[in-house]
Amino acid sequence: MSSSWTFKQNKVFEDALAKYDKDAPDFFQNVAREVGDGKSVEDVKKHFAELVKDVDEIHTNGASSNSNNNTKGVSSRGGSSDGQRPWYLKTQ
């Protein structure tokens, strides 16, 4: 199991999150297959949970309080000036 994620892996991870149906039973398997590089389904699930936690923290505390923290390489692409965000960056 590999715990560190490169910039490239994060980019592929984000693209795969947007590509696959989040409600599909094989969602995490599809994302893990896309990322490759030895990342398991469990690695992807843990990375996804970290992403959700980071986004929730940013949402709760405001982006400025997280300005010095790395958000696991998650980019702001996919968003727009009108506040539209990919589903995986929306908080519950």
Side-chain angles (χ1 to χ4, degrees):
M1 201 155 87
S2 178
S3 60
S4 65
W5 288 69
T6 66
F7 178 83
K8 182 181 176 185
Q9 288 169 328
N10 274 308
K11 172 91 168 90
V12 174
F13 173 76
E14 288 182 28
D15 290 344
L17 290 179
K19 178 179 179 180
Y20 292 105
D21 178 6
K22 67 179 172 130
D23 297 320
D26 57 351
F27 173 73
F28 287 109
Q29 290 86 351
N30 289 332
V31 174
R33 186 178 61 246
E34 287 276 329
V35 173
D37 289 338
K39 297 297 184 189
S40 69
V41 171
E42 286 304 311
D43 291 330
V44 168
K45 286 180 179 180
K46 287 179 183 177
H47 199 62
F48 182 77
E50 290 176 14
L51 170 64
V52 170
K53 180 181 170 212
D54 287 347
V55 171
D56 285 345
E57 275 184 28
I58 291 168
H59 180 71
T60 300
N61 300 326
S64 62
S65 67
N66 199 29
S67 62
N68 293 325
N69 294 335
N70 180 350
T71 57
K72 313 293 185 269
V74 175
S75 73
S76 61
R77 67 178 181 74
S80 67
S81 61
D82 66 355
Q84 294 295 322
R85 294 181 172 186
W87 69 264
Y88 57 89
L89 292 180
K90 293 180 181 176
T91 57
Q92 280 40 321

